[in-house]
Amino acid sequence: MLFFLAGCKKKKTDLIDQPAPAGINPAGQVEEDKYGTMINLEADGPGDTYGLLNRKLGGTAYEVPDCGHPVPHITEEFDSGLNKNVFAFFAHVSLDDDRCGATDRQRTEIKTYGSSPSAGKAFNGDEMTFKWKFKLDGAFQPSSGFTHIHQIKAGDGTNEDSPLITITPRYGSPDKMEIIHTGNTTATTLGKVKAVDLASFKGNWIEATEKIKFGTHGTYELILKKVNDGSVLLSYAINDIDLWRTAATFCRPKWGVYRSLSNAVRLRDEKVLFADFAIGKK
């Protein structure tokens, strides 16, 4: 299990993968300690998945198309690769939309947002670390439009619908895994900051570690590595990047499958696996 502590006085560090101090609940509930705040979210087996997400992330933490296609789009199952229960996120080409709204896209995501505890929200100047695992199927087919599997977004304010950061598998020759940045203005937008071949990601469990200092002159670091051998498939870091929106009071993470249907013929029904979500704040 992964735990996050925030920097102590003797050493400035994220202290990732350190044992939890006394008082941290191993089941994952948000608790305050002398170091700061943290959230851990792990699958605990089939049944009441939506309830688990809400208890750990706050409010209604899932965005799914169940209203129009009445089946659970986020479930839990045992994974032999990790030897534990994991979350399964589903997207169906011909049956799903964006929560009975837009029909040119599909969304199955989890999030923190306004109703979430402060541990899950980034305020201006906050330094946060997000860590999780994911697995794309060996035959995964991304859209040529967009297929976001992770987003960092403003929770409110101007341009809140436009994500600050996305991790985006994209159709091409060959398919790519892209990291995309959208600043508060055109002048501060960096666009596609990193792209690597998608092939090495397919069929493998990937561990993601994302470190962000939020603000108009923020910092960003992302490492994606294979769980089975620790090999790094993608890394990116920058020490001056626009990571805030005008009039925003907080930013937040999202994970799942959010994809365009503009070229649906290139898509198939997908199941993307996620595990071991952790949020830490200094």
Side-chain angles (χ1 to χ4, degrees), residues 54-279:
N54 292 345
R55 288 192 298 274
K56 300 302 173 67
L57 299 179
T60 301
Y62 53 90
E63 296 179 341
V64 294
D66 295 16
C67 53
H69 179 204
V71 300
H73 283 77
I74 305 174
T75 62
E76 297 167 80
E77 62 185 54
F78 185 81
D79 178 78
S80 59
L82 294 184
N83 195 34
K84 65 185 302 183
N85 290 303
V86 302
F87 296 101
F89 288 60
F90 294 91
H92 309 93
V93 177
S94 61
L95 298 171
D96 297 343
D97 58 16
D98 188 358
R99 300 162 294 173
C100 292
T103 57
D104 63 341
R105 62 196 64 197
Q106 301 174 321
R107 186 192 306 267
T108 300
E109 290 186 305
I110 63 172
K111 63 184 180 181
T112 63
Y113 72 121
S115 296
S116 300
S118 61
K121 296 182 285 191
F123 305 107
N124 199 355
D126 276 353
E127 297 179 52
M128 298 191 71
T129 299
F130 306 102
K131 198 165 186 176
W132 70 97
K133 297 182 180 77
F134 68 92
K135 183 181 181 181
L136 306 178
D137 187 79
F140 181 84
Q141 295 178 203
S143 171
S144 57
F146 63 85
T147 306
H148 302 325
I149 58 173
H150 173 60
Q151 300 183 70
I152 298 292
K153 300 186 70 175
D156 52 16
T158 304
N159 299 326
E160 65 176 293
D161 290 335
S162 177
L164 293 154
I165 296 285
T166 68
I167 299 178
T168 305
R170 193 179 302 276
Y171 171 85
S173 298
D175 294 344
K176 295 289 187 179
M177 178 72 84
E178 300 176 351
I179 310 304
I180 303 169
H181 168 257
T182 304
N184 193 48
T185 67
T186 300
T188 62
T189 293
L190 301 180
K192 192 183 301 181
V193 297
K194 188 81 172 186
V196 299
D197 288 353
L198 187 64
S200 297
F201 292 86
K202 294 181 180 181
N204 292 307
W205 273 105
I206 307 299
E207 182 181 74
T209 303
E210 183 180 45
K211 300 179 182 180
I212 306 176
K213 182 176 181 180
F214 287 86
T216 56
H217 293 279
T219 63
Y220 183 83
E221 178 183 344
L222 175 69
I223 298 175
L224 302 180
K225 64 182 181 181
K226 291 171 66 173
V227 170
N228 63 352
D229 62 10
S231 59
V232 175
L233 301 184
L234 182 151
S235 64
Y236 175 73
I238 185 170
N239 60 14
D240 190 357
I241 183 172
D242 183 6
L243 292 171
W244 204 251
R245 293 278 185 256
T246 300
T249 61
F250 70 96
C251 290
R252 43 62 178 276
K254 303 186 79 176
W255 293 274
V257 184
Y258 177 42
R259 65 181 182 177
S260 168
L261 292 174
S262 59
N263 291 288
V265 67
R266 292 177 175 154
L267 301 177
R268 61 172 210 151
D269 292 353
E270 295 288 356
K271 177 174 75 171
V272 179
L273 303 179
F274 287 88
D276 300 338
F277 296 98
I279 300 173

